[in-house]
């Protein structure tokens, strides 16, 4: 008798726990396949410490192959599920497709950044859901402080040293707390002009910091943030984002080059395409985490609306604690449905409390409902994280010890560029690369769970309010950051919308830099040289198309039009034989073509010759939705007003 096939989609808290529990429960009596875009489990609660330079990136990642030896790992992203045929289509990291058949399917795809229709946010902000975003933020903040220290203009220095975080929930609060310590440590050794200090702003429409947590935790966190100099503004959010700054909901314009979007999360767009009952973008399941009417389909984590039996009529919130427990219960019920385990059990939970790491020895925690602050809260917080991590405990503890006795290294690695981590993405765990394989389309910010609805605006602290506007357009096909999958029709199947549908009616354009300008622009948009363009060698200017050229964000110059290497015989590619510009066929009348004739070596300064540098060419223009850069007025960094220095913040080497 063949073994049953179990497929798990996603290796977040729920998916990883489900795979580990199933492997232990079934003991080789089932084929378990885990589909995930990366080969690691990411411990998200420690991600702010990666952005602040406390932990190295690999410390918060746990190898799936090493810790799940009895589970088959398949790298890829699910893009189509045939519920009737019990098959799942996916696309691998190099663009190759595949199909997985299953007897039981566990959906644990997790969540992505929540989008609201606020003008400019999609173009000029970044989320904080994946390792690439944390690495980019660390580099970006370091670069802004270094550029500010070298700037002669006080306004430029003020703008570069102003960092705006939207959303005062768990993630936003930790990012602002660690960020202020990180930048203060940088300027301690390399002071800014006129004695200014970096300025971090934390915005939210909610009445208090950490609105979803206990009020005592909120008061503790608010006090620590303000003592460090964080500009905490409750009841305020962003009305519009521009390349030079943000317009707040109270009408104030703040010049900044940094906008971090931490307003919350929404379920992965994969579940939208299933055509099954939903609750605020989440798939409805019964208390056993099974989809009603689908005996083979289970869902857990952020994509599942799980009834909260402790609070009848409500659903469990989208937190790591619940996702971790969901995974265990879902795995046990999957095994029970196959006759490989005990009886099914409903999901019940007991609130263990929350911990918020505020950097250094400061934290806010309420383990088992006991509110703590200061050093005791810091000890409990770090102890909890070490106990909860499925690996790397010794390495994490070692990094904490080194951070306590040594200054942090504030250097730019430059591994992740701004356009590689757009806000509007269905895969925040992956950084986009130029010329990469086509991947699934992003969810539109104007429909589905990403749209602004009443619950998004007022439930918890979204940090965005009920402001109306339009979401940023997605990049056109072939531009860095575009992701496309083929639209596969089929009866009784769940499928994603193609990029052609998402981008219909949107003019193609060069993707703008997602952060406000990191460095002064060098030449026109899309500047630099691109090999293989009509005209041969490195032209002085070229129109915005394709991947970014050398010296631009994105790295190496491209070899032709957007989308990769040009086809032979096309402009920019290798000319086909027997065509004008190519090598003449042998034994044809005329023999070797004369110079300066079609098929021969072009004359100097003629189109087609590599050294034709003085030929006229089209002058690239900036995107129509990008205003020209210009000076503005920023409130500027604040003067040091704290009397007692924070000894927990170490300087940079």
């Amino acid at each position: 008798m063949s073994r049953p096939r179990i497929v798990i989609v996603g290796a977040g808290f729920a998916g990883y726990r489900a795979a580990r529990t199933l492997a232990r429960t079934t003991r080789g009596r089932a084929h378990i396949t885990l589909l995930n875009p990366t080969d690691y489990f990411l411990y998200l609660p420690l991600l702010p410490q990666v952005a602040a330079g406390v932990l190295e990136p690999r410390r918060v990642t746990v190898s799936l192959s090493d810790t799940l030896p009895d589970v088959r790992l398949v790298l890829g992203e699910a893009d189509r599920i045939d519920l009737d045929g019990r098959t799942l289509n996916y696309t691998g990291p190099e663009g190759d497709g595949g199909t997985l058949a299953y007897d039981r399917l566990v959906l644990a795809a997790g969540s992505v950044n929540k989008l609201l229709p606020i003008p400019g946010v999609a173009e000029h902000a970044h989320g904080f859901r994946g390792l690439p975003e944390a690495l980019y933020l660390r580099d970006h903040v370091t670069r802004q402080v270094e550029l500010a220290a070298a700037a002669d203009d006080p306004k430029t220095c003020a703008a570069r040293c102003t960092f705006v975080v939207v959303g005062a929930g768990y993630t936003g609060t930790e990012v602002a707390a660690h960020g202020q310590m990180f930048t203060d440590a940088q300027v301690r050794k390399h002071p800014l002009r006129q004695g200014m200090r970096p300025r971090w702003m934390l915005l939210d429409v909610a009445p208090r910091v950490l609105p979803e947590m206990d009020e005592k935790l909120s008061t503790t966190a608010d006090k620590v943030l303000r003592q460090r100099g964080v500009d905490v503004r409750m009841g305020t959010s962003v009305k519009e984002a521009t390349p030079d700054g943000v317009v707040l909901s109270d009408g104030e314009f703040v010049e900044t080059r940094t906008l971090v979007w931490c307003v919350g999360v929404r379920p992965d767009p994969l579940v939208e395409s299933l055509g099954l009952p939903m609750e605020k973008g989440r798939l409805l399941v019964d208390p056993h985490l099974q989809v009603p009417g689908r005996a083979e389909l289970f869902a857990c984590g952020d994509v599942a609306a799980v009834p909260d039996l402790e609070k009848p009529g409500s659903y469990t919130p989208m937190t790591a604690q619940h996702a971790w427990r969901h995974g265990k219960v879902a795995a046990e019920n999957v095994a029970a449905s196959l006759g490989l385990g005990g009886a099914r059990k409903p999901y019940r939970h007991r609130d263990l409390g929350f911990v918020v790491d505020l950097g250094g020895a400061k934290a806010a925690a309420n383990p088992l409902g006991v509110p703590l602050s200061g050093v005791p809260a810091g000890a409990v917080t770090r102890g909890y994280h070490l106990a909860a991590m499925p690996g790397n405990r010794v390495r994490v503890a070692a990094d904490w010890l080194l951070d306590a006795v040594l200054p942090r290294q504030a250097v730019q690695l430059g591994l992740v560029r701004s356009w590689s981590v757009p806000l509007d993405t269905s895969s925040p765990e992956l950084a986009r690369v130029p010329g990469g394989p086509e991947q699934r389309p992003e969810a539109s910010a104007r429909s589905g769970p990403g749209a602004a609805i009443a619950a998004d605006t007022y439930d918890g602290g979204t940090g965005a309010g009920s402001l109306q506007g339009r979401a940023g357009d997605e990049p056109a096909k072939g531009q860095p950051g575009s992701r496309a999958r083929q639209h596969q029709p089929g009866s009784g199947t769940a499928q994603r919308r193609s990029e052609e549908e998402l981008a219909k009616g949107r003019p193609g354009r060069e993707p703008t830099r997602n952060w406000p300008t990191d460095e002064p622009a060098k030449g026109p948009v899309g500047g630099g040289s691109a090999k293989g363009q009509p005209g041969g060698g490195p032209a002085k200017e070229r129109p915005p198309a394709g991947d970014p050229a050398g010296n631009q964000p994105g790295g190496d110059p491209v070899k032709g039009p957007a989308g990769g290497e040009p086809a032979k015989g096309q402009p920019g590619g290798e000319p086909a034989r027997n065509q004008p510009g190519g090598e003449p066929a042998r034994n044809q009348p005329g023999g070797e073509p004369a110079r300066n004739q079609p098929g021969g070596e072009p004359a100097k300064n003629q189109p087609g010759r590599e050294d034709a540098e003085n030929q006229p060419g089209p002058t690239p223009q900036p995107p129509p939705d990008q205003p020209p850069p210009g000076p503005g007025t920023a409130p500027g960094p604040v003067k040091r007003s704290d009397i007692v220095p924070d000894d927990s913040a170490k300087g940079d080497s």
Side-chain angles (χ1 to χ4, degrees):
M1 181 178 178
S2 62
R3 293 183 293 173
R5 299 161 299 183
I6 304 173
V7 175
I8 303 171
V9 179
F13 281 92
Y16 181 87
R17 185 78 183 278
R20 191 171 72 171
T21 304
L22 274 169
R24 294 175 177 176
T25 303
T26 60
R27 297 183 179 182
R29 293 174 292 172
H31 285 288
I32 305 173
T33 301
L34 179 60
L35 177 67
N36 197 58
T38 64
D39 63 350
Y40 59 81
F41 159 77
L42 176 64
Y43 190 75
L44 272 171
L46 293 182
L47 206 56
Q49 297 192 29
V50 174
V54 178
L55 296 177
E56 289 303 311
R58 286 185 297 177
R59 304 294 185 257
V60 298
T61 62
V62 178
S63 171
L64 298 177
S65 299
D66 291 347
T67 56
L68 302 174
D70 299 324
V71 176
R72 176 194 174 203
L73 173 63
V74 176
L75 294 178
E77 297 180 80
D79 55 4
R80 178 175 175 266
I81 300 175
D82 186 343
L83 296 175
D84 297 330
R86 296 194 179 188
T87 59
L88 180 151
N89 291 351
Y90 69 92
T91 298
E94 296 183 351
D96 53 321
T99 301
L100 298 174
Y102 61 84
D103 297 303
R104 295 292 184 271
L105 178 64
V106 181
L107 291 177
S111 56
V112 298
N113 297 309
K114 181 189 290 185
L115 298 177
L116 296 173
I118 299 176
V121 165
E123 292 86 356
H124 305 297
H126 280 288
F128 202 79
R129 291 292 301 166
L131 195 56
E133 292 171 321
L135 290 175
Y136 176 76
L137 182 60
R138 179 175 171 177
D139 272 7
H140 174 81
V141 170
T142 302
R143 179 166 55 252
Q144 294 309 307
V145 174
E146 291 173 348
L147 292 175
D152 294 326
D153 181 16
K155 290 185 177 180
T156 300
C157 178
R160 292 194 181 280
C161 283
T162 300
F163 308 92
V164 179
V165 180
V166 185
Y170 183 94
T171 302
T173 300
E174 288 196 337
V175 168
H178 281 277
Q180 185 74 66
M181 287 186 63
F182 182 45
T183 53
D184 281 352
Q186 283 185 267
V187 301
R188 189 173 294 120
K189 285 193 173 183
H190 306 283
L192 300 176
R193 296 177 183 276
Q194 301 176 349
M196 293 186 291
R197 68 178 293 189
R199 176 194 189 197
W200 284 77
M201 298 181 66
L202 181 62
L203 314 176
D204 203 307
V205 294
R208 59 186 175 90
V209 174
L210 301 173
E212 68 276 14
M213 297 185 185
D214 183 81
E215 189 170 355
K216 291 183 178 180
L217 286 182
S218 173
T219 302
T220 299
D222 185 271
K223 181 179 179 181
V224 171
L225 291 172
R226 295 181 187 276
Q227 285 178 344
R228 289 208 183 132
V230 177
D231 187 358
V232 180
R233 299 194 186 186
M234 296 294 97
T236 307
S237 186
V238 172
K239 184 178 181 180
E240 181 181 0
T242 71
D244 300 319
V246 294
V247 180
L248 304 185
S249 55
D250 58 8
E252 180 184 352
F253 180 77
V254 177
E255 283 199 44
T256 181
R257 302 291 187 270
T258 308
L259 179 59
V260 187
W261 193 253
C262 301
V263 300
V265 295
R266 56 190 171 105
D268 189 285
L270 174 66
V271 297
E272 295 181 23
S273 60
L274 295 174
L276 297 174
M278 310 281 288
E279 173 65 26
K280 294 182 179 179
R282 294 195 283 174
L283 197 61
L284 277 173
V285 298
D286 62 21
H288 301 91
L289 284 81
Q290 187 174 23
V291 176
R294 292 282 179 179
E296 79 286 357
L297 184 59
F298 293 77
C300 53
D302 290 349
V303 299
V306 182
D308 191 342
L309 300 182
E310 305 296 325
K311 301 177 181 178
S314 61
Y315 300 93
T316 58
M318 298 166 65
T319 64
Q321 273 192 28
H322 283 293
W324 187 251
R325 299 168 181 171
H326 286 176
K328 183 176 184 293
V329 174
E332 292 172 344
N333 290 336
V334 167
S337 70
L338 294 170
L340 303 177
R344 296 197 312 160
K345 60 177 65 175
Y347 175 73
R348 292 183 179 275
H349 71 92
R350 180 188 176 195
D351 190 3
L352 300 178
F354 290 91
V355 295
V356 181
D357 189 348
L358 301 175
K362 302 295 181 65
N366 62 343
L368 302 177
V370 180
L372 299 174
S373 60
V375 176
V380 169
T381 298
R382 297 202 167 183
Y384 169 80
H385 287 315
L386 287 179
M389 289 191 69
N392 289 348
R393 295 186 181 95
V394 174
R395 290 185 173 94
V396 169
D399 273 6
W400 283 340
L401 177 61
L402 292 175
D403 181 68
V405 298
L406 296 176
R408 298 179 196 174
Q409 292 179 302
V411 295
Q412 303 175 50
L413 299 180
L415 300 178
V416 182
R417 295 294 185 176
S418 60
W419 56 264
S420 300
V421 282
L423 180 66
D424 187 4
T425 177
S426 58
S427 298
E429 65 273 13
L430 295 176
R432 293 177 175 176
V433 296
E438 292 185 345
Q439 298 177 2
R440 65 185 181 180
E442 315 304 343
S444 172
R446 289 180 279 279
S447 63
I453 58 178
D456 288 339
T457 304
Y458 299 108
D459 185 15
T462 67
S466 58
L467 304 170
Q468 299 298 320
R470 62 174 182 84
D473 294 339
E474 296 182 7
K477 293 180 69 175
Q479 299 295 335
S482 65
R483 303 159 68 93
R485 290 276 177 87
Q486 292 184 357
H487 184 71
Q488 305 181 27
S491 175
T493 62
Q495 55 195 3
R496 299 203 174 205
R497 291 170 294 175
S498 66
E499 182 170 305
E500 286 82 1
E501 292 174 336
L502 290 174
K504 190 174 182 181
R506 303 180 188 178
R509 59 179 174 85
E510 179 82 358
T512 59
R513 302 179 68 148
N514 293 321
W515 286 101
T517 308
D518 295 337
E519 300 174 1
K522 299 180 180 180
V525 176
S529 60
K531 296 181 180 179
Q533 297 298 327
K540 294 296 184 182
E541 298 176 345
R542 65 177 177 87
D547 298 331
N551 303 324
Q552 296 297 326
D556 296 333
V558 297
K559 296 182 178 180
E565 185 176 351
K568 294 185 177 184
Q570 298 300 324
E574 179 182 348
R577 298 188 178 220
N578 303 329
Q579 297 298 326
E583 179 182 349
R586 297 185 178 181
N587 302 325
Q588 293 297 324
E592 181 180 356
R595 294 175 179 256
N596 306 333
Q597 297 300 323
E601 179 181 353
K604 294 184 178 180
N605 300 328
Q606 294 300 323
R609 179 151 177 100
E610 290 188 356
D611 54 352
E613 297 182 4
N614 300 320
Q615 295 299 320
T619 301
Q621 298 296 330
D625 57 346
Q626 178 177 324
T633 302
V638 296
K639 299 280 186 179
R640 285 192 176 272
S641 57
D642 48 339
I643 300 175
V644 181
D646 188 357
D647 295 333
S648 62
K650 300 293 180 182
D652 290 341
S653 58

